[in-house]
Amino acid sequence: MSSSSPTSSSDSIESARARPIDVALLSSVFVIAACGLLYELAAGALASYVLGDSVLQFSTIIGTYLFAMGVGSWLSRYFERQLPAHFLRIELMVALVGGSLPAILFLSNAYVPGAFRVLLYGMVMLVGTLVGLEIPLVMRILKRNVQLKDLVSQVLTFDYLGALAVSLAFPLLLVPQLGLVRTGLLFGFMNAAVAVWALWLFRHELRRFRSHAVACALVIGALLAGLVGADHITKFAEDKFYQDRIVLSSATPYQRIVVTHGKPGYRLYLNGNLQFAERDEYRYHEALVHPVMAAHGAPKRVAVLGGGDGMAVREVLKYPSVESVVLVELDPAMTQLFSQHPMLTKLNADALTDPRVKIVNTDAFQWLQAGTDMFDVVIVDFPDPTNFAIGKLFTNSFYALLDQRLAASGYAVIQTTSPLIARKSFWTVVETIESVGLTAKPYHAHVPSFGEWGFVIASRRPWRMPEKLPENLRFLSLQSLPLMFDFPLDMARVPAQVNRLSNQVLVHTYEQEWGEVAH
């Protein structure tokens, strides 16, 4: 005779029926966590693209998002009845707002750039609040059938696993393959799928099943339309932002690469910042390369750090004494584009496919640390220090490593922003180079697309004026070269601090000086 009572048998049957719902809800926690973190990462990446200083942007975005989640968790206490219905509605709202976040911010930056920051933090706050509501509601629904100790451990396990999955996939797979707009919409669709799942699981509890079903269909339809038109959305926004026609664009784990074509010819932008314009890039690259190459006399081994477009390499290869060039560029997409795309290889005269050129796709700081090869000339052509990741390449630690790889009679040259617009930033770099025992020889050149632009020669021996330059240069001459080393009063040296890894004062100074110009 069984000792089970009818009541306990009924509870067992009810528990068995509940288990599929519990599994489904726990699976949805995985998706919810993945989607929530992705929206946070997408907002941080877009803020870094548009506003610069990735450390500051990600810190403030994460802080705002976590605060908003706390607000959402606190508000969940006011949801007492019809929890499945509330959960379904919140999922649809997250799907719509979070999924469209990258697209809306892209369009905002192109058409109403003044509203970008307000819209960015407003949407992050809204998405964070909604995500903060999700988990408490799921836990309260699960509490019907799962003991508290098991409930907390299971929910948090699935939550953390979802966060881990998307944190790895976002930079390595999603952004490079899909781009930010399509990635956001795809994960919005996943949130909407959770809502549809909830619609089916709780179909017997929902009072307005038909209204919920229509809402699900409308949100999914809007997201699918966005997915289909994602390329058009991106192109529409970027065409407005860049003015000229976009002929090539690519999102990589490191940056967004855009090439445009208009009256000034081709232009390259990285994360929205102009890197060169075809009509006057020769001024910049001749000024960067030839003062050190010609002064050396007969350089054989040359390294180019940054400059993945191959323009600096093109100028280096004009010296018959050069036996080898090592190009160190972090982003393999850059060197691939400028070594394979016919439109771009024409600009650098096929420099990257020259047999003397070796391409190394790695971080230049780590490459200097790991290597032992010595070089006669090192061309340092990094973007301006808009964030700490680039700022480390302008520190005394970096220049000390550079010194170790420079031959005794060698020269290095560093592109160093504008001494007119960012005067203190320019002289900060000079001060930093001198702090490691190198001689610094600053100079400047006028590049119409950028204005007055600065460079610094670093060496152990004093720099000497070259006696000859390569033939057929379009900008430099032996007569004009000495003038580049004369600084008028408004660009003359000012007191500056050494830029160190531990403080990176240059990033803050640069942001302040260029920010004043923008306003």
Side-chain angles (χ1 to χ4, degrees):
M1 183 175 177
S2 172
S3 60
S4 301
S5 66
T7 303
S8 63
S9 299
S10 174
D11 290 344
S12 299
I13 293 170
E14 191 63 33
S15 177
R17 287 176 179 171
R19 282 179 197 136
I21 293 179
D22 298 342
V23 172
L25 284 172
L26 286 170
S27 300
S28 72
V29 170
F30 179 91
V31 176
I32 288 168
C35 292
L37 182 59
L38 182 123
Y39 303 141
E40 184 180 357
L41 292 173
L46 270 167
S48 298
Y49 288 174
V50 175
L51 304 175
D53 194 348
S54 58
V55 173
L56 174 65
Q57 303 310 325
F58 271 98
S59 295
T60 53
I61 292 294
I62 290 170
T64 303
Y65 188 82
L66 291 176
F67 170 74
M69 287 183 67
V71 172
S73 297
W74 182 79
L75 290 174
S76 67
R77 64 192 295 185
Y78 297 105
F79 292 79
E80 298 178 358
R81 300 178 181 179
Q82 288 289 301
L83 295 184
H86 290 310
F87 175 70
L88 189 152
R89 294 186 195 104
I90 290 167
E91 282 303 298
L92 291 178
M93 291 172 68
V94 173
L96 203 56
V97 179
S100 61
L101 182 146
I104 291 173
L105 291 178
F106 259 123
L107 292 168
S108 157
N109 184 50
Y111 287 89
V112 280
F116 178 85
R117 198 184 297 265
V118 173
L119 191 59
L120 168 71
Y121 287 98
M123 294 191 74
V124 168
M125 191 73 189
L126 178 57
V127 172
T129 302
L130 292 171
V131 171
L133 284 165
E134 289 174 314
I135 299 300
L137 291 182
V138 169
M139 293 180 71
R140 287 166 64 186
I141 294 169
L142 284 167
K143 191 178 177 182
R144 302 170 181 175
N145 305 303
V146 182
Q147 293 184 3
L148 182 62
K149 66 181 182 68
D150 296 325
L151 172 63
V152 174
S153 65
Q154 289 174 4
V155 168
L156 291 181
T157 297
F158 277 84
D159 184 63
Y160 296 149
L161 286 173
L164 173 64
V166 81
S167 66
L168 295 174
F170 182 78
L172 300 176
L173 177 65
L174 295 171
V175 173
Q177 298 299 322
L178 300 177
L180 276 174
V181 171
R182 189 178 280 109
T183 295
L185 291 164
L186 175 64
F187 274 71
F189 183 79
M190 290 168 62
N191 268 125
V194 170
V196 172
W197 201 343
L199 179 71
W200 174 253
L201 288 174
F202 300 106
R203 60 192 180 279
H204 300 301
E205 296 184 42
L206 296 172
R207 294 177 181 175
R208 299 177 181 176
F209 178 84
R210 183 172 297 178
S211 298
H212 290 305
V214 170
C216 288
L218 290 174
V219 171
I220 289 174
L223 292 168
L224 285 175
L227 277 170
V228 172
D231 288 337
H232 296 290
I233 293 172
T234 303
K235 188 176 185 302
F236 189 63
E238 289 186 333
D239 281 349
K240 174 69 175 178
F241 179 78
Y242 293 107
Q243 302 298 323
D244 294 332
R245 181 174 60 91
I246 294 174
V247 295
L248 187 151
S249 62
S250 174
T252 79
Y254 307 102
Q255 58 201 346
R256 180 157 187 82
I257 304 169
V258 174
V259 178
T260 67
H261 186 261
K263 290 182 178 179
Y266 292 102
R267 290 183 177 181
L268 170 68
Y269 295 85
L270 299 180
N271 293 342
N273 297 312
L274 179 66
Q275 301 302 304
F276 74 73
E278 183 184 4
R279 70 178 176 185
D280 57 19
E281 59 81 14
Y282 68 91
R283 280 179 161 250
Y284 172 88
H285 290 103
E286 287 184 13
L288 172 70
V289 171
H290 296 297
V292 288
M293 289 291 289
H296 186 280
K300 294 182 179 180
R301 296 175 57 81
V302 179
V304 179
L305 311 184
D309 52 42
M311 306 295 186
V313 176
R314 177 195 66 201
E315 298 301 316
V316 167
L317 294 176
K318 291 179 179 179
Y319 292 80
S321 63
V322 172
E323 296 176 356
S324 65
V325 181
V326 179
L327 172 63
V328 183
E329 163 63 47
L330 178 63
D331 193 346
M334 276 288 291
T335 49
Q336 185 177 4
L337 283 171
F338 281 87
S339 61
Q340 296 180 5
H341 199 289
M343 172 185 67
L344 303 178
T345 57
K346 184 178 179 181
L347 295 177
N348 62 31
D350 293 302
L352 299 187
T353 57
D354 188 287
R356 292 170 288 176
V357 177
K358 177 185 177 183
I359 297 173
V360 180
N361 293 122
T362 190
D363 178 82
F365 201 106
Q366 295 175 6
W367 179 80
L368 286 176
Q369 284 180 315
T372 57
D373 294 340
M374 306 295 287
F375 296 91
D376 299 316
V377 173
V378 180
I379 312 291
V380 183
D381 190 19
F382 298 130
D384 278 6
T386 54
N387 58 60
F388 294 115
I390 301 175
K392 73 175 184 179
L393 304 174
F394 290 82
T395 60
N396 60 344
S397 299
F398 181 84
Y399 296 134
L401 292 171
L402 181 63
D403 181 27
Q404 295 173 16
R405 305 295 294 277
L406 201 60
S409 60
Y411 293 114
V413 62
I414 298 102
Q415 92 77 14
T416 321
T417 197
S418 171
L420 180 62
I421 297 174
R423 184 178 176 184
K424 190 172 182 179
S425 298
F426 178 85
W427 292 106
T428 296
V429 176
V430 174
E431 185 77 22
T432 305
I433 290 169
E434 291 176 341
S435 73
V436 300
L438 291 168
T439 298
K441 186 72 172 176
Y443 64 102
H444 59 97
H446 185 71
V447 183
S449 293
F450 299 101
E452 205 66 34
W453 211 254
F455 310 87
V456 182
I457 297 171
S459 60
R460 295 188 198 131
R461 60 167 176 161
W463 179 82
R464 59 176 186 174
M465 192 71 66
E467 296 178 356
K468 72 178 292 190
L469 292 168
E471 296 179 358
N472 301 320
L473 296 186
R474 300 170 61 191
F475 173 57
L476 280 190
S477 69
L478 291 175
Q479 293 73 33
S480 64
L481 187 56
L483 302 176
M484 296 165 62
F485 292 84
D486 178 51
F487 282 79
L489 292 176
D490 58 356
M491 294 193 293
R493 188 162 189 166
V494 292
Q497 294 178 258
V498 174
N499 188 44
R500 307 177 190 276
L501 275 175
S502 57
N503 62 17
Q504 295 227 27
V505 295
L506 177 62
V507 175
H508 299 295
T509 304
Y510 178 91
E511 184 180 45
Q512 179 183 359
E513 291 182 315
W514 280 97
E516 290 173 358
V517 175
H519 293 92

